[in-house]
Structure formats: C-alpha cells, structure tokens
Amino acid sequence: MILSPLLLLGPIAAAPAAPVQGDLFVIKAPRVELGDGEVMEHAVILVEDGEIVTMGQDLPVERGIPVIELEEGQVVMPGLVNPYSRVGMSGGGYNDSRPQVMASAELYPSAAYKAFFENGVTTVGQYPAGQGIPGQAVAVRPKGDSAEEMIVEDGVYLKVVMRNNSSAKRNLRDGFEKADDHLKKVEKEREKFDKAQAKAKGDKKKSSSKSKSKETFVPPPADPRVQPFFDLREGKLRALVSIRNAASYEHLIDAIGDEEFEWHLRVPLTRDIDVFHVADKVGERGCFVLMEPLITLVPGTLRQRNLPAEFERAGAKLVLLPRTDSKAGFESFLEDVGVMIGAGLDRKAAVRAITHNPATFMGLGDRLGSLSEGKRANLLIFSGDPFQPDTKLDAVMLDGKFVSGDMDQ
Amino acid sequence: MHLRPNQQRRTSRPTWLLMAASLFLAPTALANVSIDDEPAEEAEAEEDKEEVLALVGGEIHTGLGGVLRDATILVRDGKIGAFGYDVDVPEDAEVVDVSGMRVYPGLIAVGSFGLFGSSGNLDDSVDPYNQNMTLALAAGITTAVDGNSVAKLKRGHVDGLVVSSSAFETMSYSNGNPQGQLKVEGDLKGAADYIRAYRAWEQEKKSNKEAKEPSKKGVDQKSLRILRGEVRPRFNADDRTDLLEIAQLAQRYGFRPIINGCREGWTVADELGRAGATAIVTPRTRRPKDESLLREGGSSIENAATLYSHGVNVVVVPASRGISLGGIVGQDLLHLPIEAGFAIRGGLPQLAGLRSITIEAARVLGVDYRIGSIEVGKDADLIVTDGDLLHYQTFVQWAIVDGEIVYDKQAEMFFAHIRPRPETALAPAERMDSGEEAPADAPADAPEEEPAEDAGEEPVIEESGGEEPEANEDPEDPEDPEESEDPEESEESENTEQTAGA
C-alpha cells in the first residue's frame, strides 16, 4: 500500500522515477468482470507480489511501473474457481464414514493440473473419493512444485453423500451421536477430576501444606473420527452434501433433524433429475448449490428445464461446475455456462457462480474469486465476452504471473 | 372443483395452499443454522396453529354405507374432525368447495411394488417424489402394502408413512405339499393343546396354588397368535381343493383365514363363508377349468359376488400390483377402482365393491382403526372424485393424505388435459385450458405452456420459470378474459399438452 499514494500523485510526482521494487505492474483493461456480477470499464489494476493493491477506473499510473495494456474488446475476469474436482488425484474410496480423511494427503503436483490453469481455473477444491462420508476437501492452486506450495487451505469442506437409504442417513446421525457420547465421556471425566480435586483439597487442608499445584482439567481428546462433527457444530467446518434427487434432499432434512451446522448441496444433474420439487425449499435455505450447466428434462417428458436458473431464482447461491470432471469438461465449461445464460440464467449470477460463489463457498471469498483490493491477482484475459463460443482465452494469470496463454509480462 | 362465484371461500384456496407450502418448509427452516432466525420462528408459530381444512358441499360416501349429499367434512390436524350437514366451519378454516363432487375414503391397495421408489425400511428409503406414487394417488390410492409394510402415499414426506410393518402373516397350506400341511396342522394342534392346558391351569390355580404352568416349549408362536385371534393368517390359494382344506382347517381350529387369489372360491363359497374367510380376489382373472375333473372349476366373473353372498368378505386387487406405463393398460394399480367395478359387473353389490378397496382392505391389514372409511377420529385420507368412483369415466380430482392435498389432477401433467375441471359449476361448457390452469397450484412439474408463436425468440426454459410466481395468485378468476376468450389458442395449447403428456 506504500505505492498507492504514489500512484495517485502520478503525473505530478513523476519526475523522480520511483525505484520499482518487488514484482509490481499494472494492467489496464477496457472491461473487467469483477466476479460479483458487476463490471468495471477502463479499469486499472495495480498488482504487487501477486496481490491486487489498487484498482479503479482510469487511475493515473506512475511512470516506471510496467503496464500491460489490453486491447479494446479484451475482457478481464477473475480466475475460475472449481470447488469440486478430482482431476490429478487417483484412487477410490470407501463406503462408510471417514470424516477425518484429508484429501490433501493425496495431493501431489503433476502434469494433470495443467488442465486447470490452461482453461482458466486458478483455484480448485479437491475432495476425497468415496461414498458415505469420505472426508475433507482441500483448496488448491493448480500450480506448484510441492503439495505444500499448492495448498491454499485445508479442510475447506466435509463431503457427505446422502442417498435414499438407511446407511447414508446413519452415517450422519451416528457422527453426531458419537460426538454426544464423547461429550458425556468428557463430562464424566470432569466429574471424576473435580472429585479428585476436592478430595486433594480436603487432604491439603488437613495437612495444611501451602503448595498450590492447581491442576487444570484436560479433557480427553476426541476420536479423530468424531472431531469433524464437533467442528461442524462449532462452525469451523462446513459440509457439502451430495444428493441424487429430490427424495435424498428430504432424507437429508430428516437425517439432520434438530442438528445445526452449515451445509451446502452438491446436485449432480442428470438428464431427468427431479430436484425441481425441492428448489423452493433449497432456495429458502439460501445455501450454496453446486451443479452443472445442463438443461434437464422433466422425467418422462421432453419438457426442458434450466435447473441452475431455477435454483438461483429461488434464492440458492449457485455454483457451476464443469459438466465432466476432465480436461474436456474444463474446455467447454464457459461455453456451457453461456448456453445456460442463453436459456434464461441471469448473466451476473452466472459470473458469480463460477468465481465469487465457489470461492465464498470454500471460505476463500476474502482472498480470491473476485477482483478488488487485497485479492489475489488470479485473473483471466479473454479476447471478448467470455461466454461466447468464439472467444479465446488469451492469458491466465495466477498470483500475478502468467501461467498460460501467449501474453508477455 | 365446481366453484361458486361470489363466495369468499373461493379465494381462500390458494392461500391455503400457500400456507401448506410454508408449513412444509418449517423443518427446513428449523434446520437452517446459517443466517436468519426469524423465518424459523414464524414457521414455528404457524406450526402451532391448528390446521383446519373443510371440504364443503360434496357428496360424502363414508364407505360404511352412509351417503350424505351436500355435506361438509372438517379435517383437523390430519384427522377427520367432523362431517355432516350442520358442521360449523371455523372462520380460519381453509375451505375447498367440492360441490358436485364426491368424497370417498382413500383407497387401499393390499399389494404393490414400485410406488415408494424402493423397498426396505421405507422411512429411510422412500422416494416421495416418485412418479408412480403420484400416479397411484391419481388412481385414488392413499395407502398401499409394500413388502410387508402398510404405508401411506405421503407425497413429499419421508416420515410418518408407515402405518404398520406387519401387513400379513403368510402361511402355506397346499395340497401339493402334504408335508407342509402336516407341519401346519401339527403346529396348530400343539398351540391349541397349549391354550387348553393354559386355560385349565388358570382354573386350577384358583384352588391349587401349587399348580404348574404349562410349558411353552415347542409351541409354535405364530400358531399361538393365530389361535388367540391376534393375527389372521394369509394363505395363497386358488384351487378348489386347497380352498376347501383351508376352510376346514380354519373351522377346525377356529380362526378366520385371509385367502389371496381364491380363484375357484365361488365353487366352495359356502365353506369359506362358514370359515369366516376374507378373500383377496382379482375379478378379471381368467383361467379355464381343469377339464380332467368333473367338478366345477376355473375362474368366474361372479366369483366376488358369490363369495360375498355366502358371507365371505371380499378385497379386490388388480392383476398387476405395480404401475405399468407400457403395454395394454387397465390391469395395474392405476385401475384399482375399475377392477372393483368388474366385481360389481359380476353381481357384487355397489357398496361391497367400494368396501372391497377401502375398509375391507384395511381390515385384512389390521389398520382399520385408522383408515379405510370416513369416520370421526380416523385419519383424513380422502379422495374427491368427479363422479361415481367405480365408473370408468371418473377421475380423482384431489387426493388428501393426513389432511394434506398431495394430488391435484389439474396440477399434474398426467390427466389434467382430459376433461379439465370446469371453472364454474354454472358454466361447464366454458372449458378451461389445462395448461393455463396447471401452474395455479404451483407444482414444480406442472405442464407449462409452450410458447406457441415466438418459440424461437424466447427460450422455453425462461418461460417456465417466469410463470412460477403466478402460482400465488388466484388463477381461477372467472372474470379473467384471457382464459376463456380465445378458444382457438386454448385448443391449440391443449393439443400440445396431450402430445407432451403422452
């Protein structure tokens, strides 16, 4: 921020060329999609050390700062955030409850991650494989030499698979029940401890020794399988529940009962999925809903529905995912989203659904997913409207560095 | 619905639906932790309020013989609170005018598959948005046996479905398996001996405190329960010989059998009647007699009637216990009332025909204390039809389970376009386009209008979404010029409906 007054003084204090320190540059863009749905024209973005320091319309630029001047027609957009992918990971999972499993343990840098940033995805949420409760997801930057370098944040959500059967419901109920059992155990231990303390106190009084070794009660640690459920209750962890149809949503509500925790929905769209039955209920909750840009049909008919648009209108916070979790899916992603916009999805909502919303869903909304001061300089430069099929992705910038495309820094 | 103009009750229906919808959301809101507590509180407050629904002006068929014309049913908290001619409708009650229509108890299918999406523990595995469930409701079925559970077709709910988890106690007693017959007879005899010894001990105990209680060891518990009258065994039997032997066994040991199939029952109806049997029959079954035998046999359209006239209670099921959307229609659960109609064709009295798919079915399942007839205190599982239930032309207009409307013909795409519900009773000639009325009750899957002209310009999907807000308005305003003025357009869109619906 030292540089921002300098920047504003611009032409006046131009004479002594300020010593440019660090990795500092400016992007001048005719049109910027901010990620929250708004657009800024004639934007000037000052980036230092991979972070957006200042951003505004027609800001004067200090001489000496390198400027990337975009051409008329080019559009800047925040890097895409895909919160639900397993590209780059291998192996299968189990069918039971393993909430302590961290997807980050599977993480290793590989060429597969190129598929992300080459197609504009600059932040990825990677989840552990398996049914039941397979574990916790990790937010990843798709470029790095080591797993540590790639991890943006670990434990961003707990994946839960809800199906129309008793075992899926039991996984969830049992988790919280075990948490309760643990609390009871802790309570018992505490009572025991208090009794022992009182007794010790009494003994001390008798012996009237002055040594005051005031022990504090240390609760027994929770089983690692139970801890995530405490985290859920305490709001340290959010759950992403994958449902298959409207019925699984009802079963989810039934399984949750009176339990209170933050949860969101993953709804893998199939051709004739019937989740529209619960769109209003989900909208009422206002949770994040992760789905593909796909036109679906009312079961047994050829009546088309735009479920992403319906859920968005109902009040859900939409997150769009590529149709397939693969390179091909990433390549056609923006075009697919464009089709949904053509079919009635609000354009601003669509932009949010691929940038700001997924970032916020993973708890990273204050760091990335949109373009404003203090956010990471993860941005995409398009030759035109990102949702038009003939638009080219000219460049991808990750943390202030071009990682893909044919533009020079 | 035959709506009477200039009556306040007309407007109340949509509001009522709205309220139902918001109540529906209550558990969701309660589970919501993230943001606002206010809606949750509101929902709670609404939940506390007693729900009263009044069906006014209908012809009530109680299922027990009573018919009340132009009467009112009051539903309180999912139960039938009152019905009759001078029922006080509370001011805050939500009123549905069903004048010109008939109200029956919801039908019961004593066998089904595929209505609940999956089997097993229904509370944990039901798909309450299953298409077959909606179709079964369209047939008037509000309760069905799945596996060995008796469950309600509570559309949109995953809890509170199961009425009983032991629908039948099945036994096998067939001429083709003499060993099995011996075993059954032996078990029954053992149980009968035990009961006799127990009774003797009970008497002896009074004078002799030392008397020893007879040992239960080796006594078949199932047989014991049967002989004590706690449960009625169900036999699968069609053949005359089997039927006769079951009837005799039942008379020998004094229990009342339920006989599934009972194809040749008409040949031994008197024996079955004496045994106090209940027969679960499919009137349209066709099977020629065994020509190698001199005696009468084979199927008969008069089977149900003959059995009934000999004192055998009759329950009717269709030939197929599922719902099939392929092949030739008419033999599946969608046609349960039609199947009962065939029993009437064979001579079964009208009332017995109705009872065969309501109260008698509830009785064999042991759930008649809750469902099967319109009686005060029973569950409000009702259907409203536009004519005689057993007539082939009749459609179920509404199905109500536990006091909640779970099916509305005009709101679902299946039959909305066939003889759409007239807008008013006074002007039945003014047909309303089903497509326009459909979104009125706000089902997500209601058939929506295809944009007829500017389909290229305006995406279909947008149209469907855009129409949804209208759901909250009164859709059946008779003064709305749009709905009746352009017959050509409505005709055209109706055709679209039919194609899409088919």
Side-chain angles (χ1 to χ4, degrees):
Chain A
M1 288 303 284
I2 318 155
L3 284 153
S4 60
L6 228 154
L7 187 87
L8 291 168
L9 286 171
I12 310 158
V20 177
Q21 282 177 357
D23 191 5
L24 180 75
F25 63 92
V26 161
I27 300 169
K28 280 187 168 179
R31 187 179 171 84
V32 176
E33 293 274 2
L34 298 179
D36 57 0
E38 300 307 316
V39 171
M40 188 188 280
E41 308 266 354
H42 306 293
V44 176
I45 308 170
L46 180 69
V47 177
E48 187 187 18
D49 290 333
E51 191 174 283
I52 297 171
V53 181
T54 310
M55 188 174 165
Q57 250 176 320
D58 289 321
L59 290 182
V61 181
E62 166 68 19
R63 192 185 299 166
I65 302 176
V67 174
I68 300 167
E69 183 108 37
L70 300 187
E71 288 163 30
E72 199 54 41
Q74 281 189 310
V75 177
V76 171
M77 193 162 96
L80 305 181
V81 180
N82 177 349
Y84 194 82
S85 173
R86 277 197 58 81
V87 166
M89 299 194 140
S90 58
Y94 300 89
N95 193 20
D96 53 2
S97 178
R98 294 163 188 257
Q100 78 284 10
V101 169
M102 307 299 281
S104 52
E106 284 183 67
L107 192 66
Y108 68 94
S110 75
Y113 285 92
K114 263 174 78 174
F116 288 111
F117 59 78
E118 282 183 351
N119 291 293
V121 180
T122 53
T123 311
V124 186
Q126 299 215 285
Y127 61 95
Q131 299 291 305
I133 301 181
Q136 300 176 31
V138 57
V140 161
R141 76 194 282 279
K143 202 171 167 72
D145 297 326
S146 67
E148 287 69 37
E149 204 180 309
M150 290 170 77
I151 293 176
V152 178
E153 178 128 355
D154 206 357
V156 286
Y157 59 81
L158 176 69
K159 191 188 169 189
V160 176
V161 179
M162 183 50 63
R163 292 287 177 262
N164 310 339
N165 59 47
S166 37
S167 73
K169 294 172 89 171
R170 201 169 44 231
N171 279 337
L172 201 57
R173 285 178 180 146
D174 279 6
F176 287 112
E177 248 168 54
K178 276 181 190 148
D180 286 336
D181 289 348
H182 179 73
L183 284 182
K184 274 180 208 155
K185 194 176 138 198
V186 169
E187 204 43 51
K188 260 186 198 165
E189 291 284 321
R190 186 189 295 278
E191 269 172 34
K192 220 192 262 174
F193 176 81
D194 286 348
K195 259 184 202 168
Q197 283 291 92
K199 207 181 165 193
K201 221 176 171 182
D203 289 349
K204 272 173 200 164
K205 260 184 187 169
K206 272 174 203 164
S207 61
S208 71
S209 74
K210 282 278 171 185
S211 72
K212 45 168 200 170
S213 57
K214 209 173 185 184
E215 286 177 58
T216 47
F217 173 70
V218 183
D223 186 289
R225 286 181 179 230
V226 174
Q227 191 54 45
F229 289 94
F230 283 117
D231 294 346
L232 282 176
R233 274 184 183 165
E234 287 162 18
K236 291 180 199 162
L237 185 61
R238 61 186 72 81
L240 178 68
V241 186
S242 173
I243 61 170
R244 188 161 52 188
N245 51 19
S248 352
Y249 180 79
E250 300 290 353
H251 284 292
L252 170 67
I253 297 293
D254 187 44
I256 289 174
D258 297 331
E259 207 61 58
E260 293 194 345
F261 62 97
E262 184 187 340
W263 53 269
H264 305 284
L265 290 175
R266 158 77 178 126
V267 187
L269 293 190
T270 51
R271 206 169 144 76
D272 56 355
I273 192 165
D274 67 348
V275 282
F276 48 81
H277 286 300
V278 294
D280 286 344
K281 294 186 204 180
V282 174
E284 186 92 355
R285 273 192 52 80
C287 63
F288 287 102
V289 176
L290 282 59
M291 45 174 58
E292 291 85 354
L294 189 72
I295 298 285
T296 58
L297 301 177
V298 174
T301 70
L302 292 177
R303 246 172 248 281
Q304 295 185 325
R305 298 192 82 115
N306 185 344
L307 290 182
E310 284 179 39
F311 273 77
E312 200 275 326
R313 265 197 292 263
K317 284 180 253 172
L318 184 65
V319 173
L320 290 172
L321 304 173
R323 277 200 208 172
T324 57
D325 192 21
S326 66
K327 194 160 178 264
F330 303 159
E331 276 166 1
S332 67
F333 182 50
L334 286 170
E335 198 182 322
D336 295 340
V337 174
V339 170
M340 302 312 281
I341 296 171
L345 176 63
D346 180 52
R347 191 181 190 279
K348 287 181 178 179
V351 174
R352 277 198 300 272
I354 56 179
T355 55
H356 181 64
N357 278 0
T360 312
F361 158 63
M362 292 198 288
L364 306 172
D366 53 347
R367 280 189 259 171
L368 45 91
S370 52
L371 298 179
S372 63
E373 282 181 19
K375 302 276 161 67
R376 302 304 300 167
N378 295 345
L379 46 88
L380 315 177
I381 299 166
F382 290 94
S383 63
D385 181 352
F387 300 116
Q388 291 299 329
D390 55 350
T391 298
K392 207 171 135 271
L393 177 57
D394 287 333
V396 179
M397 181 175 282
L398 177 61
D399 289 330
K401 292 204 171 59
F402 283 118
V403 291
S404 170
D406 46 15
M407 285 181 74
D408 293 326
Q409 195 122 14
Chain B
M1 179 163 56
H2 295 223
L3 289 160
R4 296 166 176 172
N6 307 325
Q7 275 187 352
Q8 284 182 340
R9 58 176 68 148
R10 292 193 58 260
T11 45
S12 60
R13 197 171 71 87
T15 1
W16 171 75
L17 280 164
L18 262 181
M19 199 186 80
S22 55
L23 273 170
F24 205 54
L25 286 164
T28 328
L30 288 172
N32 189 348
V33 56
S34 51
I35 352 159
D36 34 18
D37 290 320
E38 267 184 65
E41 276 168 28
E42 266 178 47
E44 246 169 341
E46 243 175 83
E47 206 164 41
D48 289 343
K49 214 178 91 183
E50 196 183 34
E51 269 183 280
V52 184
L53 163 69
L55 305 179
V56 178
E59 186 178 298
I60 299 171
H61 293 245
T62 63
L64 300 170
V67 179
L68 295 84
R69 294 203 170 79
D70 197 10
T72 295
I73 297 191
L74 214 57
V75 174
R76 282 180 194 277
D77 287 336
K79 305 270 180 204
I80 296 168
F83 69 98
Y85 295 110
D86 31 276
V87 174
D88 275 340
V89 178
E91 255 178 44
D92 58 342
E94 302 303 331
V95 179
V96 182
D97 185 342
V98 295
S99 49
M101 303 211 176
R102 301 191 185 195
V103 184
Y104 291 95
L107 309 185
I108 300 165
V110 296
S112 82
F113 56 81
L115 302 191
F116 296 94
S118 71
S119 49
N121 181 358
L122 285 184
D123 276 338
D124 280 344
S125 64
V126 65
D127 178 352
Y129 298 104
N130 182 5
Q131 178 177 273
N132 281 356
M133 185 182 281
T134 313
L135 282 166
L137 286 165
I141 298 168
T142 55
T143 304
V145 174
D146 183 277
N148 208 30
S149 297
V150 185
K152 292 197 182 193
L153 279 65
K154 287 185 82 166
R155 196 153 177 258
H157 295 268
V158 297
D159 51 355
L161 289 87
V162 177
V163 183
S164 157
S165 50
S166 56
F168 290 113
E169 188 72 73
T170 306
M171 281 180 95
S172 173
Y173 193 75
S174 165
N175 205 247
N177 179 9
Q179 293 294 328
Q181 279 185 315
L182 282 175
K183 169 89 169 65
V184 168
E185 176 120 35
D187 283 348
L188 286 169
K189 186 165 186 309
D193 288 346
Y194 171 79
I195 289 172
R196 238 173 256 125
Y198 189 87
R199 289 284 295 143
W201 169 71
E202 276 187 326
Q203 289 300 320
E204 201 188 339
K205 203 168 57 168
K206 289 173 187 163
S207 52
N208 176 12
K209 288 229 164 73
E210 304 284 285
K212 221 175 121 195
E213 188 181 335
S215 163
K216 264 190 187 175
K217 209 174 161 192
V219 180
D220 181 51
Q221 290 304 307
K222 190 160 120 181
S223 303
L224 207 55
R225 289 177 62 218
I226 289 166
L227 295 192
R228 281 179 172 157
E230 290 164 14
V231 64
R232 291 178 66 187
R234 183 185 68 166
F235 300 87
N236 292 311
D238 281 310
D239 187 78
R240 173 189 165 119
T241 321
D242 285 349
L243 294 172
L244 210 51
E245 287 186 0
I246 290 164
Q248 283 161 358
L249 182 80
Q251 288 175 69
R252 212 152 52 237
Y253 288 98
F255 63 86
R256 300 184 58 200
I258 298 163
I259 298 170
N260 189 30
C262 209
R263 191 175 56 236
E264 293 184 346
W266 59 280
T267 62
V268 289
D270 50 345
E271 282 285 336
L272 291 169
R274 245 172 270 150
T278 299
I280 301 175
V281 299
T282 303
R284 273 186 285 177
T285 310
R286 283 281 195 82
R287 181 70 77 87
K289 90 178 270 269
D290 182 350
E291 292 297 345
S292 64
L293 300 171
L294 275 175
R295 60 165 174 77
E296 284 182 310
S299 57
S300 163
I301 186 74
E302 291 173 288
N303 191 19
T306 310
L307 286 166
Y308 182 78
S309 65
H310 285 84
V312 178
N313 287 325
V314 175
V315 175
V316 164
V317 286
S320 157
R321 312 282 163 95
I323 283 184
S324 105
L325 300 179
I328 294 170
V329 298
Q331 299 202 23
D332 57 0
L333 280 184
L334 267 179
H335 302 85
L336 181 61
I338 304 281
E339 197 69 46
F342 271 87
I344 293 168
R345 189 185 180 93
L348 190 71
Q350 282 272 338
L351 177 60
L354 173 61
R355 290 172 62 109
S356 74
I357 47 178
T358 54
I359 189 70
E360 292 303 341
R363 279 186 182 159
V364 297
L365 302 173
V367 294
D368 53 318
Y369 68 101
R370 274 182 68 180
I371 54 173
S373 58
I374 296 181
E375 290 176 82
V376 172
K378 276 196 171 184
D379 293 2
D381 293 359
L382 307 165
I383 53 174
V384 180
T385 66
D386 51 12
D388 186 342
L389 175 68
L390 302 169
H391 192 280
Y392 60 85
Q393 211 171 21
T394 300
F395 272 108
V396 171
Q397 298 288 336
W398 288 283
I400 297 160
V401 175
D402 285 342
E404 185 188 329
I405 293 191
V406 287
Y407 170 80
D408 175 353
K409 172 172 170 268
Q410 291 312 107
E412 305 295 338
M413 71 177 89
F414 303 113
F415 304 114
H417 59 288
I418 307 173
R419 292 194 297 282
R421 211 152 54 215
E423 196 177 344
T424 64
L426 296 172
E430 278 182 22
R431 283 166 54 134
M432 177 185 287
D433 174 63
S434 63
E436 277 185 46
E437 202 193 18
D441 296 313
D445 58 348
E448 271 116 12
E449 286 284 326
E450 303 277 346
E453 282 124 30
D454 51 357
E457 290 280 325
E458 206 168 351
V460 182
I461 301 102
E462 175 130 52
E463 177 87 358
S464 76
E467 263 184 20
E468 263 164 39
E470 280 175 33
N472 299 345
E473 295 160 21
D474 186 356
E476 288 152 342
D477 193 343
E479 281 153 39
D480 190 346
E482 276 184 7
E483 294 186 341
S484 47
E485 264 184 15
D486 193 351
E488 204 181 309
E489 191 191 309
S490 73
E491 196 73 31
E492 189 182 321
S493 37
E494 195 179 302
N495 290 340
T496 356
E497 277 317 305
Q498 285 177 343
T499 345

